[in-house]
Amino acid sequence: MSRILDQRILLLVISFSASVQSTKVLSKWKKCGDLECEKAMSRVQATTDYLGPDCRYLNFSTGEEIIVYSKLSRENENLWTGSKGKDFGYFPRDAVKVEEVLIGEEVEVLTKETDFLCLHEDKYTFE
């Protein structure tokens, strides 16, 4: 009886860990303007105000200009990554309109765990 209970608890812990881990990584793939994702892909303008759910997201107001550096792909194509001044983060693609495309071709690359970190003072954390 004790062994069955131990196995059930272990399965519950594994299941919970997988669930928590899946909230950290928003996608395994992203599209960029180059293999290092350093090239700006496009310039977009916000068509609505947006306030993200955590520090990984870029907040903006209608009319603000954002430079796009990557677009999540495959399992989560709705989120793009960009900057507005010194702020950087994810935002929904349907909250912006493309003003100018800056690259000729998109390259698909694997994401890294560091793509989904928040910076709090001098340390990185997952949300």
Side-chain angles (χ1 to χ4, degrees):
M1 178 77 170
S2 171
R3 187 168 188 219
I4 292 172
L5 183 59
D6 288 346
Q7 288 175 342
R8 287 184 181 172
I9 291 172
L10 180 61
L11 287 174
L12 182 62
V13 168
I14 291 170
S15 175
F16 178 76
S17 296
S19 173
V20 169
Q21 184 178 13
S22 69
T23 62
K24 294 177 185 177
V25 175
L26 302 172
S27 178
K28 291 182 181 178
W29 295 91
K30 63 184 176 181
K31 293 180 182 176
C32 301
D34 61 278
L35 291 174
E36 293 78 31
C37 297
E38 294 175 352
K39 259 188 201 176
M41 298 178 74
S42 59
R43 183 176 54 81
V44 300
Q45 184 177 39
T47 56
T48 186
D49 294 348
Y50 178 72
L51 181 61
D54 62 47
C55 64
R56 296 176 294 177
Y57 291 81
L58 181 67
N59 300 321
F60 50 79
S61 301
T62 303
E64 288 190 290
E65 184 178 281
I66 301 163
I67 302 299
V68 177
Y69 288 93
S70 68
K71 303 172 181 179
L72 295 185
S73 60
R74 298 190 188 189
E75 60 267 357
N76 193 357
E77 294 186 353
N78 184 49
L79 290 177
W80 289 1
T81 318
S83 67
K84 171 189 70 132
K86 63 180 176 73
D87 298 326
F88 186 84
Y90 293 93
F91 59 90
R93 70 178 183 186
D94 59 356
V96 299
K97 68 177 177 180
V98 176
E99 295 286 311
E100 181 181 12
V101 175
L102 304 171
I103 59 161
E105 187 177 326
E106 295 178 352
V107 179
E108 190 171 49
V109 298
L110 284 167
T111 60
K112 297 176 257 176
E113 191 175 84
T114 55
D115 290 334
F116 306 104
L117 294 176
C118 290
L119 178 60
H120 290 293
E121 296 175 8
D122 62 345
K123 61 183 178 181
Y124 291 99
T125 58
F126 274 112
E127 285 296 313

